Structures are given as C-alpha cells and as structure tokens.
C-alpha cells in the first residue's frame, strides 16, 4: 500500500464529524466492566442451553396402520416366446441385426447405468442396477461376447437378459408370490429402451429402420401392464395401509441436549457434572421463568430502565427508536414460542398472551395456533422460536401475574438473563474461541469467519445472544474484541485475524436473514459502547501490527524475506479503510521515518560485509576481478530485494529497494573509482597491462550499476565518468585489430584452397556455398571485433563514433590487402597459358588467340572454351561476398549516425585540427591512348602504361592490350598524397623476349589546391614521341571519416571485381573480335556476290542515291549462322562459369562481356572520338543492316528469355540498354546523313548545351570542362555536363546501395541529355569535315580559358569575402559564386 493512499484514508478518518466528537467525550467516561467468574458464565450459559431444549418442539414419529386385505388384480406377464418371435421370423435378415461396433457401445452404456452416470432417470433404481449388473457380468464373458459379436442378433441378448432378470427378481419371493413377474417385463423393457437409445446415439437407426421399429413395438408390449410401483396400493407388497404421527415424551437426559453438551465441553465439564447441575436447578429453570424474564424485560424496556438499553446508550434518538421498534416484535415472538412449547402456560397465565391476528379467511386464533404448531415442528430446530405471523399485542398485560401478584422493579434479577449481558457474553465467547481454535476449527487459507468457531459453538452463541437480548452488532464487536485480545497475546496469527475481520464484515448467510443489514453498515445505529469499543479494537490491532511490521521490515535485507503479506492485508483491507479508525498522518510519517533510518543503517552494514569479503580481504592482490565480483554481489543483492518487493515496492511510505540503492550504490561507485584508478596506476608502474576482456567485463558491471542508479536515483547522477577509465581498453582492442588485420588476411588466404564448400560433390551448391573459407574467416574476425565494442553499450556517443571510425579504417586496409592478394593469384592463374613451348615463344599472345580464332572459324566446327580454373571463379565470388559482408557491417555500425555524432559533438578545435592534417587521394583513370608508334615488325604494338612518381617509384601498371595502336585500358589507380605531386606516365611495348620498348612518356602535376571542387577532369597528355594519352583525374580528401573508409573499401572491392571480370573478358574478347570483325562482314558479302568495288570515290559514297544497290542481301538464317560459333563459344564458357560463380557474379561477368560486344560493334561502325580525321570508312548500308541484326541477336542472347516461361535468365534489361547501346541505336539516324546536315545538327546540340549551361548553377560560362589539355594539341569532345558529376567519388561508393544509385543516375542523365559525340565520330570519316573538327577544338579551348578566368575571379572574391566577412557578390548567391570558383583549370599549373 502506498503512503499516499494510506494518508488519504487517515486524513478522511481524521476529519471528525460531530458524532465522533461526541464519542470521544464518552470514551473518557467509559470503563471496561469487571471480569466475570468462569462459573457464573458457565451457569448462565447452561441454563440458556437447557431452556432451548425445553422450548424445542416435541418429537413425533410415524407409525404404520395396515389396510384391509383386498384381492390382487390378475395380470399376465410376457413369455420368452413373445420376446423373440418378432425377430425369429426374419432371422437371416441383415436389417434386424446390430451394426458392427454396437456391442462395445452397449457395454459402455450399461457400465454408465451401474456407475449412475446414465442421463435417463428410470435407470437410477437400485433394483434395475442390480438386474443390469447380473447381465453385464454374463455379457463380458469372452465366449459369450465373441458369439454375440459374430451373430449380432437381438434375440440372443434378450434371452440372456430375460433369463438373468428372472433369476434375480424371484430371489427371496414366496412360491405363491407372482408380483415379480411384472417387474421382469419392466426391466426387459428398460433394456430394450437402452438398446434403442444406443442405436440412436450413434446414428445407426437410419441404416436399421426395421430393427428400430421392432424394438419400439417390443417395448410397448412389455409396458402394457406397467404401473407406479410407489403408489399406495402397492405398498407393503400390495397390502396397502396408512401411517399416523405419535408424540414422543421430552427427554431429560443431557445426551439429548446438544447445547448443554456444548456448554459442558466449553467449560471443561463432564456430561455427568452438567447433568447434575441441570437436575439441581431444573425446577427453577422452567419455561414459565423464561416467560417471566421476558415480561420483566418488556417492562424495563417500557420504563427505560438501566437493565435494558436506553436512549443514553445511543448517539441519536432516532437510532434508539429504530432499535426499540425492532425489539418489540422479537419479544412477542419469543413469548409465543414459549407458550407454544407448553400450552398449559396459556391456561395458567390468562391475559398475558399476545393474540395472533385473524387471517383474511376468517380463521380463529385456535386454528392459527394449530397452524403455528405445525409450522414450528417442521422448521429448523437451530432456533427455539420461529414465528412469522403478525402479532396483536393489545391483550398483553405488563402489570404482573394475576396469580402470583408479583411486582417488577430494578432490583429483581432475571432467571436466564445475566446482570451484565455484554460481559457475560464476551466471557462465553472467549471460552468458545479458545476451545475451538485449540481444536483446530480454522483451517489455513480459509477466510470464512464461521470456521473460527465450530458449528455447535456458533449455534450456542446465537441462542445465548438471542436470550440475553444482545444486539447482533454488539455480538460482532465483542467477537472482534476477543480476537484482538488473543492477537495481542500472540495466541492467534494474522490469518485468523483476517478471517475474523471478514466474518465481521460479512456474517454467515443464516444469521444475515435474522438481522437488518443496514444496522451493520450504518454506524449511526450502533450503540456508543460498540462504536467506542470498535475504535479501541482497531487502534490496538493497528499498534500491534505496526510493532510487528517494524520488526519484520527491519530485517528485510536478510536472506529470508519477512512475512508481511498478511499484516499488510489487514492494515489495507480492515484498518485503514474502516471509518472508525482514528490515527493521524503524523503517526504514519513517524513510522516511515524511523524505519528508513534503520533500513539505511542495515543497508550500509550489508554493503560493508560485501566490501570486506570481496575487496579488503584481497587488498594486497587486488584485481579487476574483485571489483567485478563486488559489483555483481551488489547488483545481485539489489535485484533480489527488487524481486522480493516488486508487487508492493512501497510499504507504509518506505521503499526498501530505493533505500538500499541510495545507501549502497554511491558507496560502491566511490570505492570502485578509487580501486580502479589504483589498480591501473599500479599496473602502469609495473609496465604491465590488464587484459582487455577483464577491462570489458568490469566496464559492463559498472554500466549495469549506472543503469540501476539512473533508474532508481534519477535526480542523483553518478559522480564519475566511467568511459574515461575504460576508454584505453577499447583503443587497445582497435589497435590490436589494426595490427593483426593484415596477418588475419594473409593467414586466411594462405590456408584457403578456394573450392566450393559442398558436403556432396554431386549436389548443386547454393550461392552461400560458392564462397571459400578465407572471406568467411575474415568476416568472422571483423564481426568479433565490432561485436565486442557493440556489446559494451558504450554510453559516450562521440567516443563510440570514433571507435567505429578507427575500426572501419582497419577493416578497409585489411580488405585492400585481401583484394591485392586475390587479384595477384587470379592474374597468375589466368595468365598460366603464357608458359608455352620455346618453339612458340616468339609468337605474341594476341597472335596466338587470333590464330586460334581463325583456325576455329575456318577449319573447326566448334572452338574449345577457355579452361578456366574453378578456384579463379571462387576468388571472384569471395570479392562479391566481401562486398555484402562489408555492407552488413556498415549497417551494423550505423555509419551515418556516427558521422552525425562526430559533426555535432566533436569540439571545433579537433575538427579544425583534422582538416589541417587532411590528406588527399588522387584517382587517376587511364582511359585510352591514340596514334601510338608501331614497335613490332607486324606494324602493331602491345602497349601498357606504368605510372611513377617524381622519385621514379612505380605506382601502378595497367594490363597489356595486344596488337593495338589505339588501346583502351579503362583502369584506375589511387595515389594518396599530402601536397602536390608529379606523376610520370610511360607507355611500354610488351615483348616476349628481350627488353620492352618505350612508346613515349608524359608528365602531369597534381596539386590539391586546383581540385578543391572535387570534380573529375579529363586530360589529353601528349607523349614525347608520338601519340597521346587520355586520363581522368579526381581528387578526394583522405579523411579520417567512417564514410570515407567504407567508401574506400567498397571501391577497392569493386575495382578488384572489375579487374577480374575484365581479365575473364579478355580471354573471350579475341574470339568476339574475330566473329564481329570487318573480315566477317566482307566474307558474308562475298558469299552473296556483293562487292563494294563500285564505290569509286568518297563523294559518291556519301551520296546515297548514287550508291550501288546490292543484288542480293544475306538471309536472316545466314546472319544467325554467322553468329552460331560465337554463341556456342559463349555458351560453353558461360556453362563452365555457372558451375562455380554465384548468380550475382555470373551476371557481372556477362555484363562485362556484353560491354565488350558493344565496344566491338561500335568499333565496326565509327572510329574513336578525336579532333583528327580517321582512316576508317563508313560501312555500306547492307553491312550496316547486318551489324544491327547482329546487335539485336546478341541482345536477345544476353537477355536469355525462357521460351516456355517467358522469364529472362540473363543480364537484366536495364543493364543491357546502357548509354552505349542507346548511342548505337541512335547512330542509325545519322550514319548516312550528309556532312552539312551532320555539322548543322552538331552545332544545334552545342547551342542547346550552352543554353542549358547558362541556366545551370554554374552560370553563363557553363560547368567546368569535362576535358582539359596539357599540350599544344587541343582537347576535344562533347560540351555536356555529365562529367561534372562525381559518380566515381569515394563517398558515393561507400556501399552497394550508393554505387547502384550513382550508376542509375549516370545512366538516366546520359539518356536525358543528348550528345553529339557520335556525330563527331561520324565526321571523322568525312574528309570534308576536317575544318569543322578544328574549329570545334578551338571552341573547346576558348571555353576552357574562360573557365580558368572565372575560376581566378571567384577565388579572389572568396578570399576577399573571408577576410572582410562580407556577403557574397551582389546579385549572385553564395553557392553559385562558389561553384564558379571551382570551374576553371589553368594549364600552366601542371
């Protein structure tokens, strides 16, 4: 119970009404009456018990009178032949046989008859059960049961039942007595009825209608002589007769006096002693004396004598009148009961008998008295008077007995009513309670108040209270007073006390009928003595319980919980809610304050014991373990107390759990801080370190202590920062992870066999089984490190974000090392075919593949696929798995939240220091080269690029592109730096023997100051010999940022995946180039007698009207047959890949092959983009149609739609329809247009691009140029703004989702913004467009110069704004001005 509810009850009770103030005045004058001797109480109780015996109605017994003999009716019983003849006529009919399973159901029904669970009442007769039992014994015999289940005939059952019933019913009958024969018919009929009921209950009567009908007919025949065997004519074997009542003389033996025996037992008297006392006084203890007592009491009541209750005994006149009004009819009924028990009293005492009022039917008083006598004899004898008829008191003479002439005054004693009825009643009640409680009348858990007293004691006390004229409320209050006394003397416990209160609130139902319930609830009707005594009882019990409660709660921190439930129940249910309770709020406050003081001391003592056990005992060898154990002990004890009082945390204004926490937790926190600091200092002096698991376990214990502290003591925060002590342990874990990560990776790769993990080699492995153990072990190592930090539930958000940032850096470095190792192994496996015999060593690798392709195309029907190693594909699967694992780690670490926390909570000084120490990463993409010099005898070269720094340290090397003077690499390398750096790019020609030849060199200077806009730029770098190199440069800040680290790790994985897929594609590209080559086109034209020799000049070629029309175009089937070898080759290789690659990796490889196909087809149609004329010439229209049909066939092949289901199984449609695919589709619209038309279209697109640039956030000069030059030769290309987007940014590649989003946006932007690149590439094949190409290059140079100038102006404006803290330039938002400042590039800076 809460203190608030208790205070409200006390406050309500303390607001004394006028009546209570009157009661308080009466309390000072009230005195407890003198005690009554035990003998006097016994004497008055015994005489009352004897009077009750005298007033009991006379016992009557019935006596039978036989009737005259009458002739018995002649009735004929059924014979065996009658029973079975209806069934024997159809003996072999299936319709009259029982269904299968019927015998088991009949067995259950007959068993139910014997057990008395049969629902039909006619089977409850004992004789019927006996007959059925005899038959059931015979029915259960195995031989008989087997026979009846086989035949399933009705007559078999009927004959056996008839036989057994006949034998059983004729037992004990005379030979000439035939009355049992009709009973046989009745029992057989009941058996037939049970059979019919069993058929109906199992729904068998539908299949056996004839059997059902015959059973009903048989039952009717058997019951034709049925009769009521309990009728009068059937009594005594049909002899008849009647019974009469005979009155039995009243006994004077004590054994026939139950109340007297109860009194004797109650007062430890023997029956003989009580009998002797009754015999000595029975001439005085008469009904006439009892009648005189009632007359005397009536007189005293009328005279307001002290020998009855008076108006002074009640608080109000109204209460007295209500009591007096109810007392009058009770007295009259008691007098009538006495006279009724002895009608001679009515004759000897004329004029004193109250008359019953005549009824409405005109009956006389004698008739009413006769009816009253009968009513009394039939009523319950627990009370000696029960009269419910109206009484006429007009004839009652209260002035005296005419014969005796006696006068009544105050000095005249009663015979049966004691001098002080309340005191005598209390004495008898105490004896009864003492005896019954000692005898164990009350059972534990039984809150019925009547069980406190035995039934005999309850009835005796009720009779005594009635005869002594004690109000029912007074009896309850006296009962509670005796209970209070016994509770204070420790004779009863709280359960008995609770049962007593429940009885007082809700008396027994038998007693509630005799009283007015309103008298119990309305305390204004109580006597003053009852009200005062009730208050005294409540206050006394309250004080006693509070003493016990204080003693119990003082030990609430002991191992055994105190038993306070019953005490709290009494206080809450019976004391505080009682209107008569008169304690104040100060009493409860004093109790709570005293108890809190004791509990605080007990809590401190308990903590001191734990501290002594865990810490002080180990003071010389104190470790973190001891602090942990102390914390666990404290938490365990606190949790124990919390669970102990979780239902009622607050008890009488005291919360044991809160007091424990506020007394113990601050002490533990202070001691733990001191001990932890001391241990750390000691270990530091010893140059030793505490293990990380011990530190983490101690931190977890301290965090739990802090959690409990914050929940219980929200207004008293913990006094020291836990994380500042244990921060070093986390950094040690991170440093260990960073140090060991590379070792983990190298060890995992070394032990990995890179095989698919399947238990059964014949089973098709799932995607999860296609990864090898190395990536699983590495991911498990990272997860363990991260989980250790996450499980700490670190409270300091800023520190937690920094932890995750450091871990992400270590994870990124480890994954970079993993990618490097796997890529090296992958390249070695893919290049294993380079180890050829010495006879073929001089042949270049590209030549070998070209020769193999030519041989397959010319002489072989089917070329063999490349023999890829399964472990190579497993490595690619591992890279794909690593990306998914890294993405899961990113979500688990909540990367975005960590960045937000650092930005919000990191001090400005630390942020400035981090920016000052910021490093940079230049991403250089080596795209392509053109017009390289030929270094091989065949007029070709095998170029590759090597990047080095100014100290001649190799930074990166590209793959070799065989036999190409215009190679395309599309490879990317990251170069970290802190300042400007000069990068030298050297192009080498690979040779199988001897030194490699140098194709040329070029240099680019990278200065972070010129890449502050972080936008990508493309540069054509002229070589020092011949040709030029195209590179794209992007700068990223080398941030100590978790998003940056994740982006860098994802980009490393993605680059490795791209390089591996490119390596796989390289193995297929030679055959793809061969099948989709100009030579293949020419051979198709030659086979169809199509020649382009009629094309005499370029002008005629460009004039479509003058172009020669082919005589015959290749058929669709022939075009498809041309690609069949390529399709077979790709299918064979894809089948090999599909055995090992995951579905995602398979799509990635197929996508890369599709890009190679698009590039090959594009090279057939147009030359690369440049400002110089190309030697390549346009294809004739027939060849162009063939190329586009190839494109469609290849598109369908890579989409791989299932013919039956229509579901695509290949590359997704959105990937197939790439920007290059759309460019090829649009090429058909411009391919044969005239040069003038193409130039006008290009100029129109250029103007549109310029107009869009004017409305863009970059201003009128447009965005930063996508391509800049670093040599005398001009940069060249489209003016579109797509290159300004940072699609390759590290921050945009920090997870799979951001990479996919960036690709989708790039694809969408490329499709939405038209480009004239294809037109410019077509114009390269038109000699008359040379002047336009040069003018276009000059325009590009002009725009670049304008952009550089704007950059310089914007930089100056920003510097001025920062120095003067001025607003942005007038008329231009700050964001736009900043954008302009990032757009320029100066050539002299490189």
């Amino acid at each position: 119970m809460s203190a608030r509810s208790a205070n409200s009850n006390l406050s309500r009770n303390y607001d004394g009404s006028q009546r209570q103030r009157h009661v308080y005045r009466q309390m000072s004058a009230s005195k407890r009456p003198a005690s009554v001797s035990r003998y006097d109480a016994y004497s008055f109780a015994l005489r009352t018990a004897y009077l009750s015996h005298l007033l009991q109605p006379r016992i009557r017994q019935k006596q039978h009178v036989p009737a005259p003999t009458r002739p018995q009716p002649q009735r004929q019983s059924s014979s065996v032949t009658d029973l079975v003849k209806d069934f024997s006529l159809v003996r072999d009919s299936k319709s009259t046989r029982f269904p299968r399973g019927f015998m088991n159901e009949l067995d259950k029904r007959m068993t139910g008859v014997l057990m008395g669970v049969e629902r039909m009442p006619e089977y409850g007769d004992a004789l019927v059960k006996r007959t059925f039992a005899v038959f059931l014994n015979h029915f259960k015999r195995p031989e008989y049961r087997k026979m009846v289940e086989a035949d399933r005939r009705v007559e078999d059952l009927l004959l056996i039942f008839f036989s057994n019933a006949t034998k059983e019913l004729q037992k004990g009958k005379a030979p000439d007595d035939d009355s049992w024969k009709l009973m046989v018919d009745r029992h057989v009929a009941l058996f037939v009825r049970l059979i019919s009921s069993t058929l109906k209950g199992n729904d068998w009567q539908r299949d056996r209608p004839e059997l059902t009908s015959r059973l009903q007919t048989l039952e009717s025949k058997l019951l034709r002589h049925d009769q009521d065997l309990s009728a009068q004519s059937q009594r005594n074997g049909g002899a008849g007769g009647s019974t009469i009542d005979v009155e039995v003389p009243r006994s004077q033996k004590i054994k026939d006096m139950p109340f007297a025996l109860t009194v004797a037992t109650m007062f430890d008297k023997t029956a003989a002693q009580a009998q002797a006392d009754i015999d000595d006084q029975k001439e005085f203890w008469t009904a006439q004396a009892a009648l005189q007592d009632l007359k005397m009491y009536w007189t005293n009541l009328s005279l307001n004598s002290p020998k009855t209750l008076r108006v002074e005994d009640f608080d109000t006149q109204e209460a007295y009148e209500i009591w007096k009004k109810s007392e009058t009819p009770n007295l009259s009924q008691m007098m009538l009961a006495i006279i009724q028990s002895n009608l001679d009293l009515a004759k000897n005492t004329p004029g004193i008998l109250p008359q019953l009022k005549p009824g409405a039917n005109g009956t006389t008083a004698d008739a009413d008295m006769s009816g009253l006598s009968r009513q009394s004899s039939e009523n319950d004898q627990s009370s000696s008077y029960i009269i419910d008829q109206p009484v006429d008191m007009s004839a009652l003479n209260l002035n005296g007995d005419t014969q005796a002439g006696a006068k009544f005054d105050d000095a005249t004693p009663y015979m049966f009513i004691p001098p002080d009825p309340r005191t005598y009643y209390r004495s008898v009640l105490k004896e009864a309670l003492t005896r019954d409680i000692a005898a164990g009348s009350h059972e534990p858990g039984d809150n019925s108040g009547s069980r406190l007293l035995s039934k005999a004691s309850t009835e005796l006390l009720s009779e005594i209270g009635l005869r002594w004229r004690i109000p029912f409320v007074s009896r309850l209050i006296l009962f509670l007073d005796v209970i209070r006394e016994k509770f204070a003397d420790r004779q009863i416990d709280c359960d008995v006390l609770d049962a007593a209160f429940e009885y007082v609130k809700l008396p027994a139902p038998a007693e509630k009928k005799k009283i007015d319930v309103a008298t119990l609830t309305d305390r204004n009707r109580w006597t003053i003595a009852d009200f005062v005594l009730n208050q005294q009882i409540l206050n006394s019990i309250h004080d006693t319980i509070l003493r016990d409660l204080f003693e119990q709660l003082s030990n609430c921190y002991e191992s055994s919980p105190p038993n306070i439930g019953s005490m709290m129940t009494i206080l809450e249910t019976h004391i505080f809610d009682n209107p008569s309770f008169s304690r104040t709020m100060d009493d409860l406050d004093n109790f709570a304050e005293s108890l809190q003081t004791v509990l605080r001391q007990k809590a401190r003592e308990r903590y001191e014991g734990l501290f002594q056990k865990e810490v002080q005992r180990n003071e010389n060898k104190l470790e973190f373990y001891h602090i942990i154990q102390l914390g666990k002990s404290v938490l365990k004890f606190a949790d124990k107390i919390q669970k102990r009082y979780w239902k009622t945390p607050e008890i009488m204004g005291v919360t044991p759990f809160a007091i424990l926490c506020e007394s113990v937790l601050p002490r533990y926190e202070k001691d733990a801080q001191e001990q932890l600091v001391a241990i750390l200092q000691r270990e530091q002096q010893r140059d030793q370190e505490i293990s990380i698991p011990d530190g983490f376990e101690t931190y977890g214990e301290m965090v739990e202590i802090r959690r409990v502290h914050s929940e219980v003591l929200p207004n008293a925060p913990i006094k020291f920062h836990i994380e500042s002590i244990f921060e070093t342990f986390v950094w040690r874990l991170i440093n260990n992870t960073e140090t060991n990560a590379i070792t983990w990776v190298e060890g995992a790769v070394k032990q990995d066999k890179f095989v698919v993990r399947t238990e059964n080699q014949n089973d098709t492995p799932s995607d999860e089984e296609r990864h090898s153990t190395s990536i699983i072990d590495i991911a498990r190592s990272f997860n363990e490190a991260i989980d250790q930090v996450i499980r700490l539930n670190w409270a300091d958000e800023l520190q937690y974000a920094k932890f995750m940032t450091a871990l992400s850096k270590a994870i990124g470095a480890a994954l970079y090392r993993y990618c490097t190792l796997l890529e090296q192994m992958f390249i070695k496996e893919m290049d294993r075919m380079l180890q050829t015999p010495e006879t073929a060593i001089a042949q270049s690798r590209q030549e070998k593949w070209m020769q193999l392709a030519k041989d397959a195309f010319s002489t072989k029907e089917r070329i063999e696929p490349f023999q890829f190693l399964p472990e190579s594909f497993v490595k690619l699967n591992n890279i794909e798995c690593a990306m998914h694992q890294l993405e899961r780690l990113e979500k688990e670490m909540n990367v975005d939240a960590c960045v937000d926390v650092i930005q919000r909570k990191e001090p400005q000084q630390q942020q400035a220091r981090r920016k000052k120490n910021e490093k940079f990463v230049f991403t250089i993409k080596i795209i392509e080269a053109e017009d390289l010099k030929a270094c091989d005898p065949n007029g070709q070269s095998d170029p590759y690029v090597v990047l080095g720094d100014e100290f001649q340290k190799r930074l990166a090397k590209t793959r070799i592109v065989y036999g190409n003077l215009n190679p395309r690499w599309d490879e990317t390398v990251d170069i970290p730096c802190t300042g400007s750096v000069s990068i030298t790019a050297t192009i080498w020609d690979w040779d199988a023997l001897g030194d490699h030849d140098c194709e040329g060199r070029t240099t680019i200077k990278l200065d972070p100051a010129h890449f502050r806009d972080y936008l990508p730029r493309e540069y054509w770098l002229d070589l020092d010999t011949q040709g030029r190199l195209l590179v794209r440069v992007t700068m990223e800040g080398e941030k100590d940022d978790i998003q940056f680290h994740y982006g860098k790790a994802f980009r490393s994985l993605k680059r490795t995946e791209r390089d591996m897929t490119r390596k796989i594609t390289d193995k297929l590209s030679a055959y793809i180039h061969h099948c989709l080559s100009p030579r293949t086109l020419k051979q198709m034209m030659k086979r169809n007698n199509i020649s382009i020799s009629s094309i005499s000049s370029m002008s005629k070629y460009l004039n479509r009207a003058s172009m020669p029309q082919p005589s015959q175009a290749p058929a669709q089937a022939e075009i498809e047959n041309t690609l069949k070898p390529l399709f077979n080759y790709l299918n064979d290789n894809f089948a090999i890949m599909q055995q090992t690659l995951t579905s995602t990796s398979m799509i990635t490889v197929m996508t890369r092959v599709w890009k190679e196909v698009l590039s090959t087809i594009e090279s057939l149609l147009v030359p690369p983009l440049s400002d110089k004329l190309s030697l390549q010439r346009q294809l004739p229209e027939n060849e162009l149609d063939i190329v586009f049909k190839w494109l469609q066939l290849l598109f369908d092949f890579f989409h791989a739609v299932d013919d039956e289901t229509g579901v695509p199984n290949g590359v997704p449609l959105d990937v197939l329809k790439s920007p290059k695919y759309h460019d090829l589709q649009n090429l058909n619209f411009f391919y044969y247009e005239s040069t003038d038309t193409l130039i006008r279209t290009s100029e129109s697109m250029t103007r549109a691009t310029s107009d869009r640039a004017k409305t863009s956030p970059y201003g009128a000069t447009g965005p930063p140029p996508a391509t800049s030059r670093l040599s005398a030769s001009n940069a060249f290309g489209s003016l579109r703004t797509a290159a300004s987007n940072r699609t390759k940014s590290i921050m945009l590649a920090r997870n799979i989702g951001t990479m996919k989003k960036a690709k989708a946006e790039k694809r969408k932007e490329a499709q939405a913004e038209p480009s004239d690149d294809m037109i410019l590439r077509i114009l390269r094949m038109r000699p008359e467009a040379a002047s336009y190409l040069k003018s276009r290059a000059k325009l590009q140079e002009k725009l670049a110069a304008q952009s550089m100038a704007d950059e310089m102006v914007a930089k100056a404006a920003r510097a001025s704004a920062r120095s003067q803290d001025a607003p942005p330039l007038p008329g231009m938002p700050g964001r736009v001005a900043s954008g302009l400042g990032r757009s320029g590039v100066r050539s002299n800076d490189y």
Side-chain angles (χ1 to χ4, degrees), residues 731 734 798-811 893 898-899 902 914 1039-1043 1045-1046:
W731 285 118
I734 295 174
L798 181 59
Q799 290 181 352
Y800 178 82
K802 291 183 177 180
F803 295 157
M804 290 303 167
T805 301
L807 281 174
S808 65
K809 183 178 180 180
I811 292 172
M893 296 172 74
C898 292
V899 173
I902 292 177
R914 291 204 315 150
K1039 305 175 183 179
D1040 188 13
D1041 180 272
I1042 187 171
Q1043 289 181 339
H1045 296 316
Y1046 265 100

Side-chain angles (χ1 to χ4, degrees), residues 1060-1112:
M1060 287 182 174
T1061 53
R1062 182 185 287 117
K1063 200 70 177 177
I1064 295 173
T1065 307
D1066 288 345
K1067 302 304 178 184
L1068 311 178
S1069 60
Y1071 195 69
I1072 293 174
H1073 295 164
H1074 172 74
C1075 294
L1076 303 177
S1077 64
R1079 179 184 175 186
T1080 305
L1081 283 174
K1082 294 181 184 301
Q1083 288 180 352
M1084 291 186 64
M1085 295 297 102
K1086 187 180 293 184
R1087 285 196 297 268
N1088 289 275
N1089 298 321
I1090 299 176
S1091 174
I1092 62 172
S1093 61
S1094 60
I1095 303 176
S1096 58
S1097 63
M1098 186 63 185
S1099 59
K1100 292 181 181 180
Y1101 177 77
L1102 294 176
N1103 188 355
R1104 301 183 65 180
S1106 62
M1107 289 180 61
Q1109 298 298 322
S1111 60
Q1112 183 180 0

Side-chain angles (χ1 to χ4, degrees), residues 66 70 108 208 272 570 635 647 715 762 820 942 1077 1115 1356 1378:
R70 297 179 181 178
K108 295 178 183 178
R208 302 291 194 277
I570 294 172
L635 288 180
K647 289 185 178 180
N715 299 325
N762 297 327
T820 302
D942 302 324
S1077 64
S1378 176

Side-chain angles (χ1 to χ4, degrees), residues 19-287:
R19 176 178 181 275
Q20 287 177 319
R21 287 193 295 269
H22 175 70
V23 168
Y24 292 144
R25 291 194 298 268
Q26 294 288 338
M27 287 176 62
S28 60
S30 64
K31 296 182 180 179
R32 186 174 297 276
S35 60
V36 177
S37 65
R38 198 162 184 266
Y39 178 79
D40 291 342
Y42 160 73
S43 176
F44 275 94
L46 185 62
R47 65 183 70 181
T48 303
Y50 179 68
L51 175 62
S52 175
H53 175 70
L54 293 179
L55 299 182
Q56 292 295 329
R58 298 290 182 91
I59 300 175
R60 295 175 177 271
Q61 64 182 13
K62 295 183 180 296
Q63 182 175 346
H64 178 72
V65 179
T69 304
R70 297 179 181 178
Q72 293 291 339
Q74 297 296 324
R75 295 174 182 174
Q76 184 178 359
S77 61
S78 301
S79 64
V80 177
T81 304
D82 296 334
L83 293 178
V84 299
K85 68 178 181 179
D86 291 340
F87 296 95
S88 60
L89 295 176
V90 285
R91 181 178 182 85
D92 297 329
S93 176
K94 180 180 179 181
S95 61
T96 59
R97 293 192 178 187
F98 292 121
R100 298 189 182 276
F102 172 79
M103 300 303 172
N104 292 332
E105 295 298 325
L106 181 62
D107 192 346
K108 295 178 183 178
R109 291 295 297 270
M110 288 190 296
T111 303
V113 170
L114 299 183
M115 297 179 64
V117 297
E118 177 61 42
R119 294 187 300 273
M120 292 186 288
E122 56 266 28
Y123 295 93
D125 185 69
L127 190 57
V128 173
K129 292 182 179 181
R130 193 176 73 185
T131 305
F132 273 64
V134 174
F135 170 75
L136 184 60
N137 290 333
H138 189 88
F139 183 72
K140 286 183 177 292
R141 293 178 182 175
E143 62 277 5
Y144 176 75
R145 185 68 169 268
K146 183 177 180 181
M147 184 267 293
V148 295
E149 286 182 350
D151 296 339
R152 293 182 284 120
R153 295 183 301 178
V154 180
E155 54 268 31
D156 293 339
L157 295 178
L158 293 178
L159 290 176
I160 296 301
F161 186 88
F162 181 84
S163 174
N164 284 279
T166 301
K167 295 178 181 178
E168 188 65 25
L169 293 175
Q170 71 179 358
K171 289 181 180 180
K173 301 294 183 180
D176 57 346
D177 186 1
D178 295 337
S179 61
W180 57 270
K181 294 182 179 181
L182 295 178
M183 191 62 67
V184 172
D185 291 352
R186 178 179 179 83
H187 286 201
V188 175
L190 289 177
F191 178 68
V192 173
R193 182 179 297 179
L194 188 66
I195 293 176
S196 300
S197 177
T198 305
L199 291 172
K200 184 177 180 181
N202 291 274
D203 202 19
W204 284 326
Q205 77 278 10
R206 297 181 182 181
D207 300 334
R208 302 291 194 277
E210 185 176 354
L211 175 61
T212 304
S213 175
R214 293 179 181 276
L215 289 173
Q216 292 176 353
T217 303
L218 177 60
E219 181 181 350
S220 301
K221 289 181 179 180
L222 291 170
L223 294 177
R224 68 180 182 271
H225 300 308
D226 193 21
Q227 55 189 328
D228 185 5
L229 300 179
S230 63
Q232 181 177 358
S233 60
Q234 300 300 319
R235 294 173 186 168
N236 303 312
S242 61
T243 57
I244 59 175
D245 291 336
V246 179
E247 187 175 282
V248 179
R250 192 185 306 277
S251 172
Q252 291 296 319
K253 301 295 183 180
I254 194 171
K255 63 182 182 64
D256 298 324
M257 305 176 190
F259 283 168
L261 290 175
T262 302
V263 172
T265 304
M266 188 182 301
F267 286 91
D268 299 326
K269 302 289 185 178
T270 63
Q273 290 176 337
Q275 182 70 60
D277 293 337
I278 292 174
D279 293 342
D280 292 342
Q281 301 294 331
K282 65 181 180 180
E283 58 179 321
F284 304 104
W285 297 349
T286 62

Side-chain angles (χ1 to χ4, degrees), residues 922 924-926 944-958 973 975 980-988 998-1007 1021-1025 1029-1031 1033 1270 1390:
F922 282 100
I924 301 177
K925 182 175 183 179
I926 304 172
Y944 65 93
V945 181
V946 175
L947 296 182
D949 60 7
E950 52 195 1
F951 303 104
Q952 299 182 354
K953 178 183 178 182
R954 176 182 287 193
L955 302 177
K957 173 182 174 293
T958 66
V973 62
I975 301 176
S980 61
V981 61
S982 295
I983 303 298
T984 300
T986 305
I987 301 180
W988 296 88
C998 180
E999 296 267 4
R1001 288 186 177 88
T1002 185
T1003 303
I1004 179 173
K1005 183 179 180 181
L1006 305 179
D1007 190 349
L1021 306 177
D1022 290 337
L1023 301 177
D1024 56 2
T1025 54
L1029 177 67
L1030 178 62
V1031 296
V1033 181
L1270 296 179
Y1390 299 90

Side-chain angles (χ1 to χ4, degrees), residues 696-697 699-700 703 730 787-795:
F696 286 173
E697 186 178 3
Y699 173 77
V703 168
V730 184
D787 289 343
Q788 286 189 67
V789 180
I790 292 177
R791 286 196 299 267
L792 292 176
N793 295 321
W794 201 262

